[in-house]
Amino acid sequence: MTERLAPVEEPALVPEILEYYTQNTDEERRLTDSADGRLELLRTKELLRRHLPPAPARVLDVGGGPGVHARWLADDGYSVHVVDPVPRHVERVAEHGNLSAELGDARKLAAPDASYDVVLVLGPLYHLLDCEERLQALAEARRVVRPGGLVAAAAIGRYASLFEHVATGWLGTKESVRDAVTDILRSGVHEPGRRGFTAAYFHTGDQLAEEMAVAGLPDARVYGIEGPTWGALKAVEQHSRPLTDDSPLFTSALEAARLAEPYPDLLAASSHMLAVAQAGVGGCETAGARGRAGLERLRAAASQGLTPPSPPPGK
């Protein structure tokens, strides 16, 4: 017997998050103007290209923002459709003639079952604080990808804010930053209304893999995107000078990210993680006893504001 995740009825974007992406930040500039952002973009391309099927394949970019990833995928020959809940983002995607876009929510996609070869979820998990809603977004990705297709989901690393605010120098000088980082380390949650960012969730690697499995995407491979030395890039740019992609420090940070991949202990040092899984040939329901056991672990941990324990070997 399998257990289906409870549906999310008429999901709505938290107003604070809509305001953040409409008025306070430019997601494209975040990934192109700073050295650590460019490292994230370069590594995301590198990792996805290892796993993507040959072009032309149909790619659904869920939470695709202004189309930063959609554009390079289209240039590589893929047919890309973007779904995003921020009108500003959808308008910007529509400016590119080789892309299509619609307003939508990761938790309730309009796409039919098994209609895409690849589904990317490279942003929604950042801002779904509730475990059940993250599972629903992943289950929706599983539903709309074809059997044997690829699902890739990104998450913010649990310790990203700790490393970031050592690099900015604020961890030891701003009490509000120290308090926010302390709460994130404990619970994974950046609470709505706190300054500096918007409502956000910070995963551990084990937790991301377990959420994928519970949503029907077992055996996910989880990568550290930026690797363990991205904070050095941020610190130099914050306190000294801009860095180019051909600078020795940038090329060393990139090489460190690649070298760190086989070592799970280094995963926690990355600012973002990417989980990659191939959809099986079963339905979009969770996978038997393994899925039910994982779901109960996640629910129990979420009810206590804790990080879920790792599953026992073979479970």
Side-chain angles (χ1 to χ4, degrees):
M1 179 182 292
T2 57
E3 178 177 347
R4 188 181 293 274
L5 300 172
V8 176
E9 296 298 332
E10 299 304 325
L13 187 65
V14 175
E16 174 184 309
I17 298 173
L18 178 61
E19 179 181 354
Y20 180 79
Y21 283 104
T22 301
Q23 301 179 17
N24 298 343
T25 193
D26 185 318
E27 181 67 4
E28 182 167 0
R29 292 189 63 181
R30 184 187 75 80
L31 291 171
T32 56
D33 284 5
S34 68
D36 61 299
R38 295 194 304 276
L39 178 64
E40 179 189 343
L41 177 58
L42 191 158
R43 280 281 294 162
T44 301
K45 290 182 183 180
E46 183 175 270
L47 292 169
L48 286 176
R49 281 172 171 153
R50 290 185 203 171
H51 294 275
L52 287 166
R58 299 190 72 220
V59 178
L60 184 65
D61 188 2
V62 182
V68 177
H69 295 295
R71 291 201 299 276
W72 68 259
L73 285 162
D75 289 344
D76 281 0
Y78 293 95
S79 173
V80 188
H81 182 68
V82 175
V83 175
D84 198 89
V86 179
R88 174 193 183 195
H89 290 165
V90 173
E91 291 167 4
R92 289 178 63 178
V93 173
E95 294 171 0
H96 300 274
N98 57 348
L99 299 172
S100 60
E102 66 176 291
L103 280 172
D105 193 290
R107 295 163 289 180
K108 195 171 184 181
L109 297 172
D113 293 0
S115 54
Y116 283 89
D117 302 300
V118 178
V119 180
L120 305 180
V121 188
L122 302 185
L125 299 187
Y126 300 175
H127 302 300
L128 296 174
L129 307 190
D130 183 80
C131 173
E132 299 279 351
E133 293 191 338
R134 295 193 300 274
L135 294 174
Q136 186 67 25
L138 293 171
E140 278 288 271
R142 172 66 183 85
R143 177 182 67 79
V144 304
V145 79
R146 64 169 175 78
L150 179 73
V151 174
I156 308 173
R158 175 61 59 91
Y159 310 109
S161 63
L162 179 74
F163 296 127
E164 177 180 14
H165 291 303
V166 170
T168 63
W170 296 346
L171 187 64
T173 60
K174 295 188 177 185
E175 184 177 358
S176 61
V177 170
R178 186 183 68 247
D179 290 347
V181 170
T182 298
D183 288 346
I184 291 168
L185 294 176
R186 177 185 57 81
S187 69
V189 176
H190 185 271
E191 294 288 353
R194 262 187 157 145
R195 297 179 62 186
F197 194 31
T198 187
Y201 193 80
F202 295 67
H203 281 78
T204 67
D206 286 344
Q207 182 185 12
L208 178 57
E210 180 126 14
E211 288 182 2
M212 294 280 283
V214 169
L217 296 160
D219 304 316
R221 171 76 187 270
V222 180
Y223 296 94
I225 295 179
E226 300 94 338
T229 58
W230 63 276
L233 303 180
K234 180 171 282 292
V236 168
E237 291 206 317
Q238 181 82 15
H239 302 288
S240 180
R241 65 189 189 281
L243 291 168
T244 61
D245 292 3
D246 60 356
S247 67
L249 187 57
F250 186 94
T251 56
S252 293
L254 174 60
E255 192 60 27
R258 293 166 174 163
L259 291 173
E261 285 182 20
Y263 302 99
D265 288 347
L266 289 172
L267 180 63
S270 195
S271 181
H272 295 83
M273 299 173 291
L274 184 72
V276 179
Q278 188 175 36
V281 295
C284 59
E285 298 179 341
T286 54
R290 178 179 181 181
R292 291 196 302 277
L295 183 57
E296 290 308 311
R297 280 193 295 271
L298 290 170
R299 284 173 173 163
S303 69
Q304 301 175 56
L306 301 173
T307 298
S310 298
K315 299 294 184 182

